[in-house]
Amino acid sequence: PEAITVQELANRMAEKGADLVKALFNMGMMVTVNQTIDQDTAELLVEEFGHNIERVSSSDVDINVDSDVDAPETLKPRAPVVTIMGHVDHGKTSLLDALRGTDVVRGEAGGITQHMGAYQIKTKGGDKITFLDTPGHAAFTQMRMRGANVTDIVILVVAADDGIMPQTIEAINHTKAAGVPMIVAINKCDKEEANAQKVRERLLEHEVIVEAMSGDVQDVEVSAKTGKGLDELIEKLLLQAEFMELKANPDRNAVGTVIEAKLDKGKGPVATVLVNRGTLKRGDIFVVGTESGRVRAMNDDKGKQVKEAGPSMPIEVLGLGGVPMAGDVLTVVESEQRAREVSSWRQEQATAKRTATAPASLDTMFSALK
Ligand code: GDP
Ligand code: MG
C-alpha cells in the first residue's frame, strides 16, 4: 500500500495542510503535516473534502519485471553466474584470481584487469562463466534481501588444512536458504596438512553430502596456488549449469542487477551491472532503483568499451543520474519521460517511507479501541 504525507496530499488537492490535520483530528487521528498516512485514510480525507479519488498505485506507474515474462520460444542459453563463499582465509580471493587466469580471452589480451565486482571467463571449450567477485556473505545476503537472486551456483571453498569453520557453516546455510546448488572446492590441497577426506566427512554433519559419500553435491580437490583441479572445477560448473538449463531472452529491452556502484571522480556515478535478460545497448534509457539515466558508455571486465551486453554479461555502466544501490534492478524504458516518471515516483515512495513515523490507519485505530 502506498503512503503519502499529509502535506503532499494537501498540495495535490490544493487545500491547506492545516485543514487536513484538523479533519484528521476530527476523525480521531493526531497527525502533523509531515507525517505519513496510509492510502485508506487518504481516500477518506479526499472524500471528506469533496474531491474525486484517483488512486494511483505502483502498478499504474512503476515497472514490474516479474510480471513481464518472456515466452519460452524466445529463450536462449546463457552463461551461469557463480558466487564463491567460504570461511575467511580459505582462499576465496585466490581462487577467483586463479579462475580469472584461466580465461582464454584474457590470455590473448595480455591480462590487464580492472576490478569490477564481476567478471566473465571463456573456457578452453568456448563456454562462458560469470563470477561475482564480491565474496562475502553480507553481499550475498544483502542482495537476496533486496530480492536480487542473481547467483545460479555457489562454490563453497573449504581449506583442506583447516576444515569446516563458522563461516563455512554460515555459507552453507545462506546457500540452502537461497535454494542455489553448490559445488564444494576443497582448497589448499597442495599443503602437506591437507585432509580432503576429513572435509567430506565433516560436511555430512551439515547435510552437505558429496558424491564420494553417495550424495549429489559435486566436490573437487583444488589448489588456488598451484592450479591443481581448476579444470575439473570448471568442468563441474559447466555440468551443473547444463543440468540447470539456464536461459534468457536476449532480444528485448535489458533488465539487469547492480552488483556494485560508486561515485568515480572522473567518470561520475558508475555501476557494475549484470544483465539478467535482454541486451543493454549504448544510448539505452533506463531506470535503476530511484535513479534514471542513459547508457553513455559500457566497459567489459577487461576495460574494453562495448556497444552492447547480453544475458549474464557483467559490464560497467556510465551515464547514471546518481549512484544506485547493490541489488537495484536496472530496467530499460522507451523514453526519457517514462524514466523520469518512474524514478520520481520511486523517489516519492522512498521519501514517504523515510518520513513515516506512526502510520495511524483507521483499521489499527479501531482494533485498538475494541
Ligand atoms: P579469502 O579470505 O578466502 O579470500 O582467502 P585468500 O584468497 O585471501 O587466501 C588466504 C591465504 O591462503 C593467502 O595467504 C593465500 O595465499 C593462501 N592460499 C589460498 N589458496 C591457497 C592454496 O591453494 N594453497 C596454499 N598453500 N595457500 C593458499
Ligand atoms: Mg578475500
Side-chain angles (χ1 to χ4, degrees):
E2 266 57 71
I4 188 169
T5 65
V6 174
Q7 188 59 58
E8 175 69 28
L9 183 62
N11 294 347
R12 288 198 196 169
M13 295 196 296
E15 299 284 352
K16 286 198 189 85
D19 290 340
L20 266 68
V21 170
K22 211 180 287 169
L24 283 163
F25 183 79
N26 291 334
M27 287 155 70
M29 264 179 278
M30 301 274 270
V31 182
T32 68
V33 283
N34 295 322
Q35 276 180 302
T36 315
I37 51 172
D38 65 22
Q39 202 157 358
D40 293 337
T41 312
E43 281 190 10
L44 280 173
L45 265 182
V46 172
E47 269 169 22
E48 180 80 21
F49 280 77
H51 293 271
N52 288 327
I53 296 163
E54 213 179 306
R55 201 184 252 245
V56 180
S57 67
S58 263
S59 55
D60 296 330
V61 186
D62 215 331
I63 303 160
N64 187 348
V65 284
D66 296 329
S67 68
D68 174 17
V69 183
D70 290 301
E73 63 271 17
T74 64
L75 304 179
K76 300 206 174 112
R78 63 168 179 85
V81 180
V82 180
T83 296
I84 300 194
M85 296 208 278
H87 194 71
V88 65
D89 281 346
H90 278 199
K92 296 180 293 293
T93 304
S94 306
L95 195 59
L96 275 164
D97 288 346
L99 287 163
R100 187 191 262 124
T102 67
D103 184 5
V104 294
V105 180
R106 200 174 309 267
E108 288 160 13
I112 304 160
T113 51
Q114 56 166 16
H115 177 77
M116 210 177 80
Y119 66 84
Q120 192 175 62
I121 63 162
K122 194 167 156 193
T123 68
K124 287 172 204 152
D127 297 293
K128 287 174 178 171
I129 305 175
T130 302
F131 291 95
L132 294 189
D133 193 357
T134 47
H137 309 168
F140 185 82
T141 320
Q142 194 194 339
M143 296 267 282
R144 258 188 15 94
M145 265 164 49
R146 312 208 62 232
N149 270 318
V150 288
T151 300
D152 299 309
I153 303 167
V154 164
I155 295 180
L156 178 71
V157 182
V158 188
D161 61 338
D162 203 26
I164 314 298
M165 298 300 279
Q167 284 168 280
T168 315
I169 299 166
E170 212 180 281
I172 292 170
N173 293 336
H174 286 321
T175 307
K176 283 188 176 168
V180 175
M182 81 171 75
I183 294 176
V184 181
I186 306 176
N187 192 32
K188 306 200 187 184
C189 282
D190 58 285
K191 283 188 144 182
E192 209 156 322
E193 319 87 272
N195 189 343
Q197 191 50 29
K198 192 173 157 205
V199 171
R200 293 189 190 95
E201 284 164 16
R202 290 287 318 280
L203 280 171
L204 287 173
E205 293 162 31
H206 304 281
E207 277 140 56
V208 178
I209 310 165
V210 298
E211 284 176 333
M213 310 293 283
S214 320
D216 55 8
V217 176
Q218 305 191 83
D219 71 288
V220 201
E221 291 182 21
V222 300
S223 165
K225 194 178 168 188
T226 67
K228 177 194 147 135
L230 291 186
D231 285 345
E232 200 187 335
L233 176 59
I234 288 169
E235 241 169 64
K236 295 203 166 176
L237 274 174
L238 291 172
L239 193 71
Q240 180 66 48
E242 201 183 305
F243 176 73
M244 294 167 85
E245 294 187 50
L246 303 166
K247 284 177 180 163
N249 174 8
D251 306 309
R252 51 161 291 152
N253 280 344
V255 176
T257 305
V258 175
I259 303 301
E260 60 179 19
K262 62 175 185 213
L263 188 63
D264 185 281
K265 269 184 206 139
K267 303 180 202 165
V270 180
T272 297
V273 175
L274 177 74
V275 177
N276 304 120
R277 46 190 172 138
T279 298
L280 188 62
K281 302 186 176 94
R282 200 186 290 171
D284 274 351
I285 297 158
F286 61 81
V287 183
V288 57
T290 55
E291 308 294 341
S292 62
R294 178 194 283 266
V295 180
R296 198 172 75 226
M298 283 190 287
N299 300 312
D300 68 9
D301 54 346
K302 282 121 193 151
K304 204 180 96 196
Q305 282 227 8
V306 289
K307 284 204 178 102
E308 50 178 58
S312 293
M313 182 157 169
I315 26 99
E316 186 183 77
V317 176
L318 277 69
L320 300 102
V323 181
M325 288 194 280
D328 275 347
V329 173
L330 178 146
T331 329
V332 170
V333 292
E334 60 276 9
S335 66
E336 253 168 59
Q337 191 193 337
R338 176 79 179 121
R340 269 198 305 273
E341 181 188 35
V342 177
S343 61
S344 61
W345 162 264
R346 289 181 182 176
Q347 270 163 27
E348 226 172 77
Q349 293 303 308
T351 312
K353 228 180 236 168
R354 270 200 304 276
T355 51
T357 39
S361 81
L362 283 177
D363 276 356
T364 53
M365 246 197 34
F366 285 143
S367 61
L369 289 174
K370 267 184 235 160

